[in-house]
Amino acid sequence: MAVTISLVALLGLVLFFLLRSKTLGYGSAFIAIMFGFFLASTGASGPINQLTHAVIDSIGKL
């Protein structure tokens, strides 16, 4: 679990700097996919799913 959280933090930081410097390419896509993959295996996946469902439900009620 500690390794997963460290990888999420590292990949998130790398992705942030890649997006900020606007160097988007195949490497950035790979980093984004790996960030999402490791983020899904942490405890943050439950609240992220709940937030997504809440936003979708609220958009549907507009």
Side-chain angles (χ1 to χ4, degrees):
M1 181 66 155
V3 173
T4 303
I5 293 173
S6 298
L7 281 173
V8 168
L10 177 66
L11 291 171
L13 187 64
V14 170
L15 186 60
F16 171 76
F17 284 116
L18 286 172
L19 290 173
R20 186 171 175 193
S21 66
K22 296 180 182 156
T23 54
L24 302 174
Y26 294 114
S28 299
F30 178 75
I31 295 294
I33 290 169
M34 295 306 294
F35 175 71
F37 176 76
F38 284 112
L39 185 64
S41 65
T42 64
S45 63
I48 291 172
N49 284 334
Q50 291 173 354
L51 176 67
T52 304
H53 287 291
V55 168
I56 290 171
D57 288 340
S58 66
I59 290 174
K61 293 179 182 178
L62 289 178

